[in-house]
């Protein structure tokens, strides 16, 4: 299975297979790409410029897949969270497809009044048990413009590969985090925080299941460590006998001490390739920089989900 992480300027890919004792990465590569940001994508509709982005994506993907070790035919994609609208809403327990569709379409019409609701594709996450013990149950939904998904679908098809799944980069990390669990019987609460320029995207996993999501702006008065503290402290503080970890991307040593002191949670770096074996070809392509390696986390995670 090929795991592909798609961003506006870069695509990163790995080829992974399931072995008798775990997983083996056969190939690692990245390529530059030119894709539109969501605000610009909304103005495109099957015209020459739209075709240009498809062609550019397909060409970059072909170059990436020409790297040594890529032999799989199927691709699982992780998309940049900045291309996704995410919202948490209360629900009455009626999880029928029609009821969910009606509610989400109404929500999208409210937040994007000039865009038809059918211009989006959406998915849902039912938090279930929430350690914050919210009074009213909630669910999380993600919505992506159809034009963006179709762009990826057509680009992969033109590259001669088969698309099997698409997920949000940050929400895929549960698959990678499972590999690092040592005591599988111990309950775990894990915060995953992605920073992109002036935004911080925070999600909470309870035993590797998504239960909460928040977005925050970052500025001089609200640095990342303060926003992380707000997110975690809203949960009521660490629960006893529960393992609490924070994964932050890109890793930032300057905020570790203050964050751990203010929240009681432990900062930990993603061990992107620590839970898998690397073939000789893959090892030769492995970036030396841990920071660059972290950029492959969504690619590995989304591939693990589909392997």
């Amino acid at each position: 299975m090929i795991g592909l992480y798609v961003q506006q300027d870069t695509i990163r890919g790995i080829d992974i297979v399931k072995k008798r004792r775990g997983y083996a990465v056969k190939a690692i590569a990245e390529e530059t790409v030119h894709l539109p940001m969501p605000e610009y994508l909304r103005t495109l509709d099957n015209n020459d410029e739209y075709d240009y982005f498809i062609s550019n994506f397909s060409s970059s993907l072909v170059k990436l897949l020409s790297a040594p070790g890529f032999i799989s035919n199927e691709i699982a994609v992780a998309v940049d969270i900045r291309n996704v609208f995410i919202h948490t809403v209360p629900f009455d327990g009626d999880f029928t497809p029609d009821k969910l569709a009606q509610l989400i379409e109404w929500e999208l019409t409210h937040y994007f009044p000039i865009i038809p609701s059918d211009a989006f594709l959406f998915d849902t996450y039912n938090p279930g048990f929430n350690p914050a013990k919210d009074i009213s149950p909630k669910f999380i939904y993600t919505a992506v413009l159809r034009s963006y998904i179709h762009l990826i679908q057509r680009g992969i098809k033109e590259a001669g590969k088969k698309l099997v799944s698409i997920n949000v980069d940050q929400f895929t990390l549960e698959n990678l985090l499972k590999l690092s669990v040592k005591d599988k019987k111990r309950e775990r609460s894990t915060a995953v925080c992605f920073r992109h320029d002036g935004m911080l995207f925070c999600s909470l996993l309870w035993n590797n299941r998504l239960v909460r999501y928040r977005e925050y702006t970052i500025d001089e008065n609200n640095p990342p460590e303060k926003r992380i503290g707000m997110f975690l402290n809203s949960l009521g503080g660490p629960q006893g006998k529960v393992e609490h970890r924070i994964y932050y991307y890109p890793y930032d040593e300057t905020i570790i001490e203050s964050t751990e002191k203010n929240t009681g949670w432990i900062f930990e770096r993603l061990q992107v390739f620590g839970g898998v074996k690397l073939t000789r070809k893959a090892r030769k392509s492995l970036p030396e920089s841990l920071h660059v390696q972290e950029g492959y986390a969504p690619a590995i995670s989304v591939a693990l989900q589909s392997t």
Side-chain angles (χ1 to χ4, degrees), residues 83-122:
N83 283 294
V84 186
F85 177 73
I86 306 170
H87 198 221
T88 305
V89 295
F91 79 111
D92 60 8
D94 183 358
F95 246 79
T96 59
D98 288 345
K99 181 68 177 294
L100 283 177
Q102 290 175 7
L103 177 57
I104 294 173
E105 287 172 0
W106 180 88
E107 284 257 327
L108 293 173
T109 301
H110 175 74
Y111 285 100
F112 304 98
I114 64 174
I115 302 177
S117 60
D118 61 2
F120 293 90
L121 292 171
F122 52 81

Side-chain angles (χ1 to χ4, degrees), residues 55-157:
S55 177
N56 182 271
F57 173 59
S58 180
S59 297
S60 295
L61 181 56
V62 169
K63 289 180 182 178
L64 183 147
L65 297 177
S66 67
F70 282 98
I71 62 172
S72 298
N73 185 55
E74 297 182 328
I75 295 181
V77 172
V79 297
D80 192 316
I81 199 169
R82 290 171 292 180
N83 283 294
V84 186
F85 177 73
I86 306 170
H87 198 221
T88 305
V89 295
F91 79 111
D92 60 8
D94 183 358
F95 246 79
T96 59
D98 288 345
K99 181 68 177 294
L100 283 177
Q102 290 175 7
L103 177 57
I104 294 173
E105 287 172 0
W106 180 88
E107 284 257 327
L108 293 173
T109 301
H110 175 74
Y111 285 100
F112 304 98
I114 64 174
I115 302 177
S117 60
D118 61 2
F120 293 90
L121 292 171
F122 52 81
D123 196 5
T124 60
Y125 300 81
N126 179 8
F129 173 68
N130 192 326
K133 294 183 174 59
D134 291 332
I135 296 175
S136 60
K138 297 178 175 66
F139 74 90
I140 301 168
Y141 72 86
T142 60
V144 186
L145 286 168
R146 286 180 183 271
S147 54
Y148 183 67
I149 299 300
H150 290 168
L151 188 160
I152 292 174
Q153 289 174 327
R154 287 180 56 183
I156 289 175
K157 184 177 181 179

Side-chain angles (χ1 to χ4, degrees), residues 270-281:
L270 279 170
Q271 300 298 316
V272 180
F273 295 96
V276 298
K277 293 182 179 180
L278 298 175
T279 63
R280 185 176 300 178
K281 290 181 179 179

